[in-house]
Structure formats: structure tokens, C-alpha cells
């Protein structure tokens, strides 16, 4: 039998206030195999760690149980500590009596009972542990960034600057993302294009960056250091290498009725088009849904006028396969659809618009050349009302429970810009709270109110309706406690933002986790904020949670530094906790093969000697380089032939038994 | 039916004599008309004892599992519902398709002799189906009884006369019985309170004598070594560690075959204690349909079942709590 030592951490008062440490120590001592048990204030401190090392040597311990915080926090710490005194690191088990116990219970008696049960489970498990040896795997020195908005570009530029090759895969025909649509940025009011377009050019011209636009990542296989991605480059019908972006084709295209996505449908575009003047690559693309040649095999005018013969109607999608060491998700966001907010009349009144539509209306490169006019008749507005939190902080099914974080500031920016450019326009803002945490943010808001005379009304809007050529905004003013009716020419809805719809697909492709709102989750909010829990997958920008541009750029740089830290390594240590097959039990049924998210299981016809019966059987074989130790196969295997080293079925059952035995 | 029996028999003899197959898996006459048994017929045994009548409910697909390493080729007689199991076995590589010749045989629903006897009919010497009725010949004379009253449980929810896989068909023109709603009883169980449901299953499962007939007949239970027979798995000792014996056995078994069970109904057909075991499996079938979209195990070979598949259309885990109304 193993000689086991148990160490119970107080974690200051984090654990000790809710769990009676002495009782846990006393109970642990009664467990079979336990030769010593003790409590200590901070096990993770140097004193705590040396206490463990001394005990391993003094009692010649074969196994150690640390009753402390989550293994996500310090399992690695204690395993490394074991290694220092020659104990195999995988002979250390953590009983999580903080997150799973003291933090979520108030009653000390109950908390103590649970802590004892968790300790007993870990002791039962460690009794069945076997020493495991880690392996090594190589690192492909190239990164993939999914998404070519400001987040993806910043991450790519930082990685490229460090000397590593980066591919940026962008679904749209141009990079730039949402930021390219924005007019000015808070809190400095400098123009978005002046910041973004140089970055776009930098990315396009950087020797280490390859931009793969109008493309989508179709599948990703492999693991940290050795991902294999399949990328579908959609047919542009225009040769990217020869097109000069002269725009002659656009001027000749007779199909002019397609909604211009870049201007959010506020104007129309031709079937062959360059998304916007500063698009990168500055190459035309044909919309196959509206192109007369592609839909009805007529026309072909663009082809005949193109001087460099760049147009090719027979172009097919291209499949690119590449290997990467790290992948960064930067899929960004989109504003939610506000059609469901019937009372705000977005679908009924042309002059009820969203904030992003207002950005386009105020943008010098927008459909009106930057002149703010009513969408309905092109006339000059005199009263504009903003409605904040449309769908944000909204627990009903049409909204989002979270704060979209950017709307208070951009609404403030819009109000200020309008008052600055058109002092004759009255601007009202309905708000629940104005949230301005951030450097120079509250000052910015105060300027809007104090210097620019924006009228902020605390309260929510009940209804927007048309009357005598005006929009009437009916709301409640919570300060004066009365119903108010504001005549407006335009109403601007600060719609909530949500992760781009592709995020869910990308996350499942990368086996990265997402939360209930489809934001990708970070491994730890404070310890590993830019890493996904899946090794080698990093998060940049709004795909991880609502962020403004300064924050996105900061986080994008942080993600890049983590990628660089990974790519500079020549070898990675692999976990020895991988699946194995009991060949005598395997029926070859393929359940494990089908469920394995990493493609780590294959089949071989093997000659088996089953207690004297020699026959060739179809047997599951685990590729140790691909297996990530997720354990899905061991659960799916009906006969128990699949087992996970370090978490064997027997160990799990022993833990369950220990918890149930009281 | 007798005509069909002769047709099958003639074809079987032809297959054996031409050397196209080395054996035929079919049904052998029992002591009485109502107890035919699955059997392997070869050139040596001949087909004198072969039979195919209205009591051949047994699903023969599983009999090929043991032949996977054999280099001999077998023909197997499968009714339409049995072909789902065959597809599932092919999907799971538990049979060698290259060594199997599938003869799809027609079916007009099979009868449950226990049900006939419960209607006071004994001394049965012959049956013939006549539309909605069954004429039962006995040593005391002839009786007529409604077919719907004496069908096997699994035939009451018949999924039609289409063979999902076959190399040739004989008698496929026979009309299979009209099906009733197969989830009717599952709905009733779902409507019960937890206590009522527990009482229901306690009443049913406490009769279990652990004869293992359900497991042995189940075409999804083909593990080389069953966890309940593997002392090292630690599961055998858990199977009966509860206040009513064997509840864990049946629940573990239902979990193991979930999304692989074709709902063939063999478990309940063979249970000597008449425990409605198929209801456990059918509950999972219904849940899977609701959570992942309609899915029929064995509809075709090489399907990937929803429990071993991931997709962005997968149901969110919150559905479990939503379903319970929380």
C-alpha cells in the first residue's frame, strides 16, 4: 500500500472560516494508507511547499493529497514541488475544498463534512495512482488568426513583429471588420479610419503576414503546437493577383440594386464591387447572388472592360491546408437585430435607426458624404433622440442580460459630434445608467452634458410612434417622475452587441468553450484572461466579451504575447494523461472513434491472444500525440475497454465510493 | 405463410447447394408450432426442420456476431424490423458484411403465444392470419381471435414492411400490421410524479431474476466482455446494491445501448418475467429525438449517432433544466 501524506490548506480564512481544518486532518488520518496529515495556513507559499517536501522525505511518501483551491490554480505548483524531491508529479492529487466547498457554503459543520468527503475522494484516488511520464511534442512556428478586424490585425501585427509567420483568415472580402464602418472614436474623437487603415496597410505589407480574405476556416484538427487547418477560399470571380482595383468594372456593372452591406443597406452597390475605398485587398469581388452573368449567363460587361483580364466567371472555391502552432480567435461581434422591439418602431419608421447606421450617415465616406439627414426624406433634422440599452441588460428573450459596455460612450460621442457640427439640433438621450469607467471617459461624458448641452434623461422609453410628420418618443423621466413626450426627427437605438454568429461554430471546431451568450470563455478571468481553456487557442477582442477599441487593442497585444511565448518554444511537454485501450476488452465498435474530438483514435487489425484464443481483431488504437485526455472515449466505451491514464474508471469509481461512504 | 415458408426453404437449399453460402441462419421447428428456435442450417443438417410461421418473432441479426472472425459465409433471414439491427451491427463493425448474405423475408406481424393462451385458448396446433383476425386451430377445434389482441408487443408498433438492407427479398409483399403510437406509454411515465414512476419501476424491476435473457438477445449488447461479467470493472458489484434488486443493471444497460438501440423490442419479448424493459430504451429514443432531432438507429449503415457526434446545432445543456420546467 502507498504511503500517503495529506496537507490541508487554510487559505487564510478563505477555507478555514468555513471548514474545520483540524477535523479534516483528523478524518484524513483514519483513511487507509494515510501516514501523516497536517494543516497549514498557506500551502502554496514557500513555507507550505517546503513543509510538503520535508514530509515527502521524512515519511517516504508515495502519494500526496493537497486539500486546497481548484487544481486549475495550483495543481502544477504542487506537482512541480513533488518533482523537486523525486516524487512523480502525477502522484499528487488536489482536493478542491475552496471553490467546491468553503466558498459556496456558509455552515461550518456542513462545510467540514463536505471537505472531509472531498479529501477522502482524493485519498481514494491517489491510492490507485501510478507514476506517469510526460512526453514531448514539436511546435509549428506559424500562427492562425481567425478574423481580420482591429483585434485580429493587432494580434497578427504583434506576432509578426516578433518574427513569426501569421495567417489572417477573414470571412469578408476585405479586412477591417466593424471598426472600418465607424466614423470617429471615443474618448479622443480621432477618426477611426486614420487609426485603422494604416494598420490594415501594415498588415498587408508585412512580410510575415498573409491575409486570406473572403475565406473561412472549415475545420481544425490536431492540438497545441500542431494544428492542421482547412481553409475555404471562396471564389471571388476576380483574380486577386492581377486586379488593380481601378473600379472600371464597377462603373459598367448594370446590376446596381444590391444592398450595400458596408453601409448597412442604407444605399445600393453593384454586383461587382470593392467593399469600400480603403478596402484591403483593394480587389473587386462578384456577388454571385445578384450577378447577371452568374445567375442568368448574360451580360459579362465587367469582363470585357477589365483591362488586366482579372475577371474569371469559372473560378471555383479553393481549399488551403496549413499547419499552425497556435490559433487566435478574433471573430468579433455584430449588433443584435432590433426588429423584435416593436414599441421602438424600427421596422415601421425609416427615421428610427441604429447607432451603427448613424455612424455610416455621419461618415465622410458614407452614403450621404457625412451629411446628417433624415433617412426618410433627406431633410435636415432638428431633434434627435437616442435610446440607450436597447437589448442590453435585458433579461427577456429579445435582449441580452449583459451590459454591451460600448453604447454609453458611443452614444455620448454621437451626441457630442452632432451638437458640435449642427448646434441647431436638439439632442436627448434616454438612459438607465451612464457607465463611463475608463481613462478620460467620465470627463468625456461630462463634456457632452456641460459643454455641448446634450439633454440626458434618466428613464426608459415606452413607445416611439409617428404623428404629424414627427416621431413621438414617449418615456418616463425618473428624476421628475413624469411621463414625457418628445418630438423627434430621428431616433437612434443603441442596440446591444452579440458575438458574431460564426463564434459558436468556430468554438466547437476548436473545442474551445463558450458561455451561454456565445462569448468564448477565457481559461481564468484573472490568471489567464486571453487564453481559452483549450491549449493553444487564444482570444482576442469582443469574441471573449464586450470591449471598446482601446481595450480590444490591449487585449489583442496580450493574446499576441501569449502566442509568441508559445511559438518560441521548440518542444512542448505533453500530458501523460491519455487514453489507452484494453485490447482484450475492445469490441472494435467505433464509439470511441466517433466521439473523439481530436481524431486521436484509429483502428488496427491486430492478432490478439485472448486466453489462448488467437485471432485477428479490430482494435482501437490511441495516437498519444493527438490524445488530449478529455476522457470522452472512456465514457462512450460500453465495455470499459477505453481508459484514461491518471483518471481511470476505477479511480473515478473509487472517488465516488469514497464520497458516498459516510 | 406456408407458401412463403416453402419459397424460403427452396431458395435456402439452392443457396447451400450452389455453395454461395456455407450456412443459413433461420428458425427451426420446436416441439410445438409456437416455439420455433433460431438455428443454423448447413448442407449437413439439411432444411427438414426449417420453419417460418407466425411465431418467428426472434431477431436473427445478432447470431452473426459470433461469426465475425469466421471465413465462412452465412445467409440470414431478416424481417423488416430486424434489418435495423443488422445496419447497426454493420455500423459498429460487429459483423463482417462481406461474409453475410441478407435475405429479407416478408412479415405480417408475429404472434405472442402467451397472449393467445391468456384468451383461454390452449392445445394450439396451427394458426393462420386472415386479415384482422387470427384463426387458431387447437386440439379442441378452431377459434378466432382479433389479431391486434395477440400480436407481439414489438409488432404493435411496427415500423412498416421496408427492409433497410438486403441482398434479396422473398415475400416482401406481405402487409405488416398497423402501428400504434410507440411513445404512448413513455408519455404516461413522463407524466407521473417521480415517486409514482419510482414505484412503477420498482414494481416491474423487482421481478427480475437476472437471467440475462434481455442482454443476451439484445442486438446492441455485443461487447466482447460485458461490464457485468468483468470482475475488474467494478460495475458487477454495483448492479444490485440497491433496495430493489437489479435496478442499476437495467438502467446501466439502457445507458449503454442508448442511441444504438433500434427499438427492436427483443428485451421485452424474451423476458420471462414480462418486464417492459423496452420502455427504458424507448424513453432514451424519445429524448434523443427531442434533443437532437428525429434519429432512428440502424436506418442505414455507417450512421453516426447523435451521442457520439458534435455539431453547432447541438442542443444547449440548459434544455435539460428547461424541459423540467425550471
Amino acid at each position: 500500500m502507498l504511503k500517503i501524506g495529506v496537507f490541508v490548506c487554510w487559505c487564510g480564512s478563505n477555507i478555514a472560516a468555513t471548514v474545520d481544518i483540524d477535523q479534516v486532518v483528523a478524518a484524513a488520518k483514519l483513511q487507509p494508507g494515510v501516514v501523516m496529515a497536517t494543516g497549514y495556513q498557506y500551502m502554496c507559499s514557500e513555507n507550505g511547499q517546503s513543509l510538503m517536501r520535508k514530509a515527502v522525505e521524512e515519511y517516504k511518501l508515495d502519494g500526496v493529497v493537497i486539500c486546497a483551491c481548484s487544481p486549475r490554480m495550483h495543481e502544477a505548483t504542487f506537482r512541480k514541488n513533488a518533482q523537486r524531491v523525486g516524487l512523480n508529479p502525477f502522484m499528487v492529487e488536489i482536493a478542491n475544498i475552496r471553490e467546491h466547498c468553503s466558498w459556496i457554503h456558509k455552515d461550518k459543520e456542513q462545510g467540514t463534512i463536505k471537505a472531509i468527503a472531498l479529501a477522502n475522494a482524493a485519498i481514494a484516488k491517489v491510492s490507485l495512482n501510478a507514476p506517469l511520464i510526460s512526453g514531448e511534442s514539436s511546435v509549428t512556428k506559424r500562427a492562425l488568426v481567425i478574423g481580420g478586424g482591429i483585434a485580429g490585425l493587432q494580434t497578427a501585427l504583434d506576432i509578426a513583429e516578433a518574427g513569426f509567420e501569421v495567417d489572417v483568415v477573414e470571412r469578408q472580402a476585405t479586412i477591417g471588420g466593424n471598426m472600418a464602418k465607424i466614423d470617429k472614436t471615443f474618448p479622443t474623437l480621432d477618426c477611426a479610419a486614420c487609426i485603422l487603415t494604416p494598420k490594415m496597410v501594415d498588415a498587408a505589407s508585412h512580410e510575415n503576414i498573409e491575409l486570406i480574405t473572403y475565406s473561412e476556416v472549415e475545420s481544425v484538427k490536431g492540438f497545441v503546437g500542431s494544428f492542421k487547418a482547412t481553409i475555404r477560399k471562396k471564389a471571388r470571380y476576380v483574380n486577386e493577383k492581377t486586379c488593380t482595383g481601378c473600379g472600371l468594372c464597377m462603373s459598367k456593372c448594370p446590376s446596381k440594386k444590391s444592398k450595400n452591406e458596408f453601409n448597412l443597406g442604407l444605399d445600393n452597390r453593384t454586383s461587382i464591387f470593392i467593399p469600400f475605398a480603403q478596402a484591403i485587398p483593394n480587389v473587386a469581388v462578384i456577388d454571385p447572388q445578384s450577378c447577371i452573368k452568374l445567375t442568368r449567363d448574360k451580360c459579362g460587361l465587367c469582363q470585357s472592360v477589365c483591362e488586366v483580364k482579372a475577371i474569371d466567371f469559372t473560378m471555383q472555391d479553393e481549399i488551403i491546408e496549413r499547419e499552425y502552432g497556435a490559433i487566435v480567435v478574433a471573430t468579433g461581434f455584430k449588433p443584435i437585430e432590433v426588429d423584435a422591439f416593436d414599441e421602438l418602431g424600427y421596422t415601421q419608421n425609416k427615421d428610427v435607426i441604429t447607432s451603427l447606421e448613424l455612424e455610416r450617415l455621419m461618415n465622410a465616406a458614407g452614403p450621404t458624404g457625412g451629411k446628417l439627414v433624415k433617412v426618410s426624406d433627406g431633410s435636415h433634422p432638428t431633434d434627435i433622440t437616442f435610446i440607450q440599452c436597447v437589448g442590453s441588460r435585458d433579461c427577456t428573450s429579445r435582449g441580452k442580460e449583459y451590459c454591451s459596455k460600448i453604447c454609453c460612450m458611443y452614444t455620448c460621442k454621437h451626441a457630442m459630434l452632432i451638437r458640435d457640427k449642427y448646434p441647431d439640433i436638439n439632442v436627448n438621450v434616454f438612459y438607465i445608467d451612464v457607465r463611463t469607467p475608463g481613462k478620460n471617459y467620465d470627463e468625456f461624458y461630462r463634456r457632452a452634458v456641460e459643454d455641448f448641452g446634450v439633454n440626458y434623461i434618466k428613464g426608459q422609453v415606452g413607445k416611439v410612434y409617428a404623428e404629424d410628420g414627427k416621431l413621438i418618443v414617449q418615456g418616463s423621466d425618473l428624476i421628475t417622475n413624469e411621463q414625457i413626450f418628445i418630438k423627434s426627427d430621428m431616433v437612434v437605438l443603441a442596440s446591444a452587441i452579440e458575438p458574431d454568429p460564426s463564434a459558436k461554430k468556430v468554438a466547437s471546431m476548436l473545442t474551445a468553450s463558450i458561455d451561454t451568450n456565445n462569448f468564448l470563455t477565457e481559461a481564468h478571468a484573472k490568471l489567464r484572461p486571453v487564453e481559452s481553456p483549450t491549449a493553444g487557442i487564444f482570444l482576442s477582442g469582443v469574441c471573449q466579451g464586450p470591449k471598446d477599441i482601446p481595450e480590444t487593442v490591449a487585449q489583442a497585444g496580450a493574446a499576441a504575447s501569449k502566442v509568441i511565448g508559445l511559438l518560441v518554444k521548440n518542444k512542448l511537454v505533453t500530458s501523460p494523461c491519455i487514453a489507452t485501450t484494453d485490447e482484450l476488452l475492445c469490441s472494435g465498435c467505433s464509439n470511441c472513434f466517433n466521439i473523439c474530438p481530436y481524431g486521436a483514435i484509429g483502428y488496427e487489425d491486430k492478432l490478439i491472444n485472448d486466453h489462448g484464443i488467437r485471432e485477428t481483431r479490430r482494435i482501437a488504437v490511441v495516437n498519444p500525440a493527438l490524445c488530449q485526455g478529455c476522457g470522452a472515449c472512456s465514457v462512450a466505451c460500453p465495455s470499459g475497454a477505453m481508459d484514461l491514464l491518471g483518471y481511470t474508471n476505477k479511480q473515478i469509481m473509487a472517488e465516488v465510493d469514497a464520497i458516498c461512504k459516510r | 405463410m406456408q407458401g412463403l415458408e416453402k419459397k424460403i426453404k427452396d431458395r435456402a437449399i439452392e443457396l447451400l447447394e450452389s455453395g454461395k453460402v456455407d450456412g443459413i441462419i433461420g428458425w427451426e421447428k420446436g416441439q410445438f408450432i409456437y416455439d420455433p428456435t433460431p438455428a443454423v442450417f448447413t448442407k449437413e443438417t439439411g432444411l427438414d426442420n426449417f420453419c417460418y410461421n407466425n411465431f418467428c418473432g426472434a431477431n436473427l441479426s445478432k447470431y452473426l456476431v459470433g461469426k465475425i472472425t469466421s471465413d465462412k459465409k452465412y445467409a440470414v433471414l431478416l424481417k423488416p424490423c430486424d434489418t435495423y439491427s443488422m445496419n447497426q451491427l454493420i455500423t459498429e463493425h460487429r459483423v463482417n458484411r462481406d461474409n453475410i448474405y441478407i435475405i429479407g423475408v416478408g412479415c405480417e406481424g408475429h404472434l405472442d403465444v402467451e397472449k393467445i393462451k391468456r384468451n383461454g385458448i390452449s392445445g394450439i396446433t396451427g394458426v393462420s392470419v386472415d386479415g384482422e383476425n387470427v384463426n387458431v386451430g387447437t386440439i379442441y377445434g378452431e377459434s378466432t381471435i382479433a389479431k391486434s389482441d395477440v400480436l407481439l408487443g414489438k409488432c404493435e408498433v411496427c415500423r412498416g414492411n421496408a427492409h433497410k438492407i438486403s441482398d434479396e427479398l422473398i415475400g416482401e409483399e406481405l402487409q405488416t400490421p398497423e402501428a400504434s403510437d410507440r411513445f404512448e406509454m413513455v408519455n404516461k411515465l413522463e407524466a407521473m410524479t417521480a415517486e409514482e414512476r419510482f414505484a412503477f419501476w420498482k414494481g416491474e424491476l423487482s421481478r427480475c431474476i437476472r437471467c440475462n435473457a434481455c442482454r443476451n438477445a439484445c442486438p446492441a449488447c455485443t461487447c466482447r466482455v460485458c461490464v457485468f461479467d468483468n470482475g475488474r470493472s467494478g460495475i458487477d458489484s454495483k448492479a444490485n446494491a440497491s433496495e430493489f434488486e437489479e435496478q442499476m443493471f437495467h438502467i446501466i444497460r439502457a445507458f449503454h445501448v442508448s442511441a444504438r438501440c433500434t427499438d427492436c423490442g427483443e428485451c421485452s419479448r424474451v423476458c420471462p418475467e414480462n418486464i417492459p424493459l423496452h420502455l427504458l430504451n424507448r424513453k432514451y429514443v424519445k429524448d434523443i429525438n427531442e434533443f437532437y432531432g428525429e434519429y432512428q438507429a440502424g436506418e442505414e449503415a455507417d450512421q453516426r449517432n447523435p451521442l457520439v457526434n458534435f455539431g453547432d446545432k447541438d442542443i444547449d445543456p440548459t434544455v435539460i433544466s428547461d424541459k423540467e420546467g425550471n
Side-chain angles (χ1 to χ4, degrees):
Chain A
M1 178 170 264
L2 302 184
K3 288 197 278 291
I4 299 165
V6 180
F7 302 86
V8 187
C9 181
W10 298 26
C11 196
S13 63
N14 269 309
I15 294 170
T18 326
V19 169
D20 185 330
I21 304 289
D22 291 340
Q23 278 196 48
V24 180
V25 169
K29 281 182 179 162
L30 299 176
Q31 291 301 306
V34 175
V35 293
M36 63 81 58
T38 182
Y40 189 73
Q41 262 180 325
Y42 290 105
M43 276 307 296
C44 59
S45 68
E46 175 46 36
N47 282 352
Q49 293 194 41
S50 91
L51 176 75
M52 174 188 144
R53 290 198 302 273
K54 276 184 196 140
V56 170
E57 285 175 329
E58 185 185 338
Y59 293 94
K60 301 197 173 7
L61 298 179
D62 310 297
V64 168
V65 171
I66 311 276
C67 305
C69 53
S70 160
R72 288 198 89 97
M73 292 283 294
H74 284 306
E75 186 181 70
T77 311
F78 293 112
R79 287 193 163 167
K80 222 179 262 174
N81 198 39
Q83 210 158 16
R84 282 174 68 183
V85 279
L87 181 63
N88 184 287
F90 293 90
M91 298 305 288
V92 176
E93 288 294 336
I94 309 285
N96 182 355
I97 61 167
R98 195 179 76 172
E99 284 86 341
H100 284 181
C101 184
S102 69
W103 275 2
I104 51 168
H105 295 295
K106 288 200 174 78
D107 185 292
K108 194 162 183 177
E109 199 180 324
Q110 292 293 318
T112 306
I113 291 170
K114 185 166 171 186
I116 291 171
L118 292 171
N120 288 349
I123 295 165
K125 186 182 177 209
V126 86
S127 315
L128 298 171
N129 271 19
L132 299 172
I133 308 293
S134 299
E136 275 185 346
S137 66
S138 60
V139 182
T140 306
K141 309 238 172 218
R142 189 183 186 95
L144 168 66
V145 176
I146 305 175
I150 180 65
L153 292 179
Q154 185 63 48
T155 303
L157 281 167
D158 289 348
I159 297 169
E161 272 302 298
F164 295 104
E165 293 181 318
V166 193
D167 290 348
V168 179
V169 173
E170 168 58 50
R171 188 183 43 186
Q172 304 293 345
T174 173
I175 56 169
N178 280 308
M179 189 176 168
K181 296 177 182 151
I182 295 174
D183 182 30
K184 296 212 162 41
T185 58
F186 60 78
T188 45
L189 292 182
D190 42 356
C191 104
C194 309
I195 308 167
L196 180 68
T197 45
K199 275 200 197 294
M200 289 165 64
V201 174
D202 285 352
S205 58
H206 203 292
E207 57 177 12
N208 284 337
I209 297 180
E210 184 177 337
L211 300 176
I212 308 175
T213 53
Y214 209 49
S215 303
E216 284 184 61
V217 181
E218 280 209 325
S219 74
V220 172
K221 296 219 151 51
F223 53 97
V224 55
S226 309
F227 293 107
K228 277 193 187 68
T230 309
I231 300 159
R232 175 177 292 270
K233 197 164 172 47
K234 290 174 280 186
R236 277 182 108 98
Y237 304 102
V238 176
N239 187 327
E240 235 177 287
K241 295 203 174 68
T242 49
C243 173
T244 60
C246 71
L248 195 58
C249 51
M250 288 162 73
S251 65
K252 295 285 183 232
C253 178
S255 163
K256 299 179 195 299
K257 290 277 168 61
S258 301
K259 285 214 155 140
N260 184 351
E261 298 89 350
F262 188 73
N263 281 337
L264 306 165
L266 291 167
D267 62 355
N268 292 337
R269 60 157 171 79
T270 46
S271 280
I272 186 163
F273 66 105
I274 298 174
F276 63 103
Q278 292 78 31
I280 286 183
N282 186 19
V283 170
V285 58
I286 295 179
D287 169 8
Q289 253 78 50
S290 65
C291 171
I292 299 167
K293 175 78 180 172
L294 288 170
T295 52
R296 281 174 280 157
D297 198 23
K298 289 185 181 129
C299 186
L301 261 180
C302 51
Q303 197 171 33
S304 54
V305 297
C306 180
E307 286 168 0
V308 291
K309 303 272 168 270
I311 291 161
D312 174 7
F313 290 109
T314 62
M315 194 180 269
Q316 298 288 319
D317 289 2
E318 189 190 331
I319 301 292
I320 303 171
E321 291 197 342
R322 288 265 168 87
E323 293 191 12
Y324 300 101
I327 298 177
V328 182
V329 184
T331 46
F333 72 97
K334 77 178 223 348
I336 64 163
E337 303 292 336
V338 290
D339 297 9
F341 294 84
D342 282 334
E343 72 274 22
L344 303 179
Y346 176 75
T347 50
Q348 285 114 52
N349 301 305
K350 277 193 164 174
D351 293 323
V352 178
I353 60 172
T354 66
S355 296
L356 197 56
E357 287 165 356
L358 180 71
E359 289 283 354
R360 296 311 301 153
L361 285 179
M362 298 194 35
N363 195 310
T368 58
K371 192 175 162 205
L372 179 60
V373 292
K374 286 169 71 179
V375 179
S376 57
D377 56 9
S379 66
H380 178 70
T382 55
D383 297 277
I384 298 182
T385 302
F386 287 86
I387 302 173
Q388 296 226 70
C389 290
V390 177
S392 297
R393 306 167 71 191
D394 179 344
C395 292
T396 66
S397 62
R398 51 184 201 169
K400 304 286 175 187
E401 63 196 14
Y402 51 83
C403 167
S404 296
K405 202 171 184 180
I406 57 175
C407 333
C408 282
M409 287 301 288
Y410 70 58
T411 298
C412 190
K413 174 191 75 177
H414 290 152
M416 205 187 286
L417 288 171
I418 293 172
R419 292 283 298 159
D420 184 43
K421 212 166 164 188
Y422 310 99
D424 62 311
I425 300 181
N426 295 314
V427 177
N428 299 298
V429 179
F430 276 93
Y431 68 98
I432 306 178
D433 298 296
V434 178
R435 298 183 163 178
T436 57
K439 192 174 169 185
N440 294 329
Y441 282 15
D442 203 57
E443 296 91 319
F444 185 78
Y445 160 57
R446 286 213 312 274
R447 267 169 64 207
V449 177
E450 292 163 12
D451 299 349
F452 287 86
V454 177
N455 182 28
Y456 269 78
I457 304 162
K458 184 172 176 74
Q460 279 182 288
V461 171
K463 203 172 174 184
V464 175
Y465 56 96
E467 195 176 275
D468 302 334
K470 282 268 191 183
L471 292 169
I472 310 294
V473 182
Q474 178 190 348
S476 49
D477 184 331
L478 292 181
I479 309 273
T480 60
N481 197 22
E482 58 190 17
Q483 282 284 309
I484 50 174
F485 297 82
I486 295 180
K487 282 189 181 170
S488 304
D489 297 305
M490 292 176 88
V491 172
V492 184
L493 309 180
S495 52
I497 57 171
E498 63 183 352
D500 189 88
S502 63
K504 196 174 176 188
K505 189 176 159 224
V506 168
S508 63
M509 192 161 70
L510 299 172
T511 63
S513 53
I514 49 173
D515 65 19
T516 49
N517 293 311
N518 290 347
F519 286 113
L520 278 93
T521 34
E522 63 284 353
H524 188 286
K526 282 152 277 179
L527 295 173
R528 295 166 64 201
V530 298
E531 294 159 76
S532 142
T534 306
I537 309 294
F538 302 87
L539 312 175
S540 177
V542 184
C543 69
Q544 179 262 342
K547 272 175 209 68
D548 56 25
I549 295 169
E551 216 184 327
T552 294
V553 173
Q555 199 217 16
S561 77
K562 290 289 170 189
V563 171
I564 296 161
L566 168 62
L567 296 187
V568 291
K569 293 194 176 103
N570 290 321
K571 292 275 175 208
L572 295 176
V573 174
T574 58
S575 166
C577 296
I578 55 169
T580 52
T581 319
D582 184 331
E583 297 184 343
L584 293 185
L585 293 181
C586 180
S587 305
C589 75
S590 291
N591 251 4
C592 57
F593 167 83
N594 282 326
I595 205 169
C596 178
Y598 304 99
I601 297 173
Y603 283 88
E604 277 177 23
D605 287 327
K606 274 194 171 180
L607 184 66
I608 301 294
N609 183 348
D610 186 353
H611 303 90
I613 302 166
R614 278 170 183 277
E615 57 184 9
T616 305
R617 293 181 185 170
R618 183 175 192 271
I619 302 288
V621 182
V622 178
N623 179 340
L626 294 178
C627 177
Q628 296 296 294
C630 72
C633 56
S634 66
V635 179
C637 178
S639 60
M642 274 293 171
D643 221 346
L644 184 59
L645 295 175
Y647 301 87
T648 60
N649 294 331
K650 265 196 150 167
Q651 285 178 298
I652 306 285
M653 290 305 257
E655 283 186 278
V656 175
D657 282 349
I659 288 171
C660 297
K661 202 167 14 182
R662 281 236 240 124
Chain B
M1 236 12 201
Q2 273 175 347
L4 180 57
E5 181 185 86
K6 178 149 193 326
K7 261 197 217 167
I8 298 171
K9 197 169 167 177
D10 290 347
R11 177 64 180 144
I13 291 167
E14 200 177 295
L15 283 168
L16 279 177
E17 291 196 339
S18 68
K20 191 159 182 178
V21 300
D22 302 296
I24 308 268
I25 299 176
W27 299 269
E28 185 177 34
K29 279 177 195 149
Q31 194 171 1
F32 304 101
I33 178 162
Y34 49 78
D35 61 357
T37 331
V40 181
F41 300 91
T42 60
K43 254 185 202 169
E44 288 72 38
T45 66
L47 273 102
D48 292 347
N49 283 327
F50 174 81
C51 88
Y52 183 59
N53 63 23
N54 295 91
F55 293 104
C56 293
N59 179 347
L60 301 181
S61 52
K62 191 179 179 178
Y63 288 83
L64 288 153
V65 172
K67 316 276 184 233
I68 186 166
T69 50
S70 161
D71 48 10
K72 293 206 162 75
K73 187 158 183 167
Y74 289 89
V76 61
L77 305 178
L78 298 180
K79 305 184 293 297
C81 57
D82 304 336
T83 55
Y84 291 89
S85 306
M86 177 54 72
N87 271 338
Q88 192 60 26
L89 288 166
I90 292 168
T91 305
E92 296 181 0
H93 303 271
R94 300 302 288 131
V95 293
N96 180 359
R97 177 70 179 96
D98 297 340
N99 280 345
I100 301 169
Y101 189 77
I102 300 166
I103 304 172
V105 295
C107 178
E108 51 184 8
H110 286 263
L111 307 178
D112 185 341
V113 71
E114 300 294 330
K115 286 185 183 169
I116 298 175
K117 286 181 180 169
R118 253 177 270 146
N119 277 283
I121 300 169
S122 57
I124 303 161
T125 54
V127 291
S128 65
V129 173
D130 178 14
E132 297 303 303
N133 292 319
V134 180
N135 299 321
V136 187
T138 74
I139 51 175
Y140 311 110
E142 186 147 310
S143 316
T144 300
I145 190 162
K147 183 176 158 191
S148 58
D149 289 344
V150 292
L151 277 176
L152 278 174
K154 63 182 195 172
C155 301
E156 290 171 355
V157 295
C158 178
R159 264 160 293 163
N161 65 350
H163 290 84
K164 295 295 165 178
I165 187 168
S166 64
D167 294 309
E168 69 171 78
L169 298 173
I170 305 178
E172 73 276 16
E173 66 284 350
L174 282 190
Q175 277 307 308
T176 44
E178 284 284 313
S180 57
D181 174 18
R182 67 173 169 146
F183 296 119
E184 193 187 341
M185 191 56 199
V186 177
N187 288 330
K188 276 187 193 158
L189 286 168
E190 283 177 345
M192 288 180 183
T193 64
E195 290 74 27
E196 286 167 348
R197 204 157 44 231
F198 190 78
F200 171 85
W201 282 113
K202 189 171 177 174
E204 294 292 343
L205 295 178
S206 58
R207 298 202 302 278
C208 174
I209 56 172
R210 265 306 282 284
C211 67
N212 285 338
C214 51
R215 182 190 75 182
N216 295 352
C218 175
C221 266
T222 62
C223 283
R224 204 172 282 288
V225 183
C226 174
V227 287
F228 293 108
D229 296 342
N230 176 7
R232 284 167 55 212
S233 75
I235 289 171
D236 52 343
S237 61
K238 304 243 182 298
N240 47 14
S242 57
E243 62 178 283
F244 62 94
E245 211 183 347
E246 319 307 354
Q247 62 168 329
M248 294 309 283
F249 171 78
H250 292 290
I251 291 170
I252 291 172
R253 213 183 73 76
F255 267 111
H256 279 205
V257 301
S258 55
R260 302 164 52 228
C261 168
T262 65
D263 199 5
C264 78
E266 284 290 269
C267 45
S268 294
R269 186 186 68 83
V270 300
C271 179
E273 293 289 340
N274 292 317
I275 301 169
L277 293 164
H278 65 285
L279 290 176
L280 285 174
N281 304 318
R282 216 170 263 173
K283 163 68 177 154
Y284 291 132
V285 170
K286 181 166 179 278
D287 279 353
I288 286 165
N289 283 348
E290 286 169 9
F291 290 160
Y292 303 100
E294 289 286 319
Y295 177 78
Q296 170 62 55
E299 178 69 32
E300 50 194 281
D302 299 325
Q303 286 184 122
R304 191 162 159 184
N305 83 53
L307 296 189
V308 292
N309 206 352
F310 305 103
D312 52 359
K313 297 269 187 308
D314 278 358
I315 200 105
D316 286 319
T318 48
V319 75
I320 309 295
S321 52
D322 289 350
K323 209 178 175 237
E324 297 294 325
N326 299 315

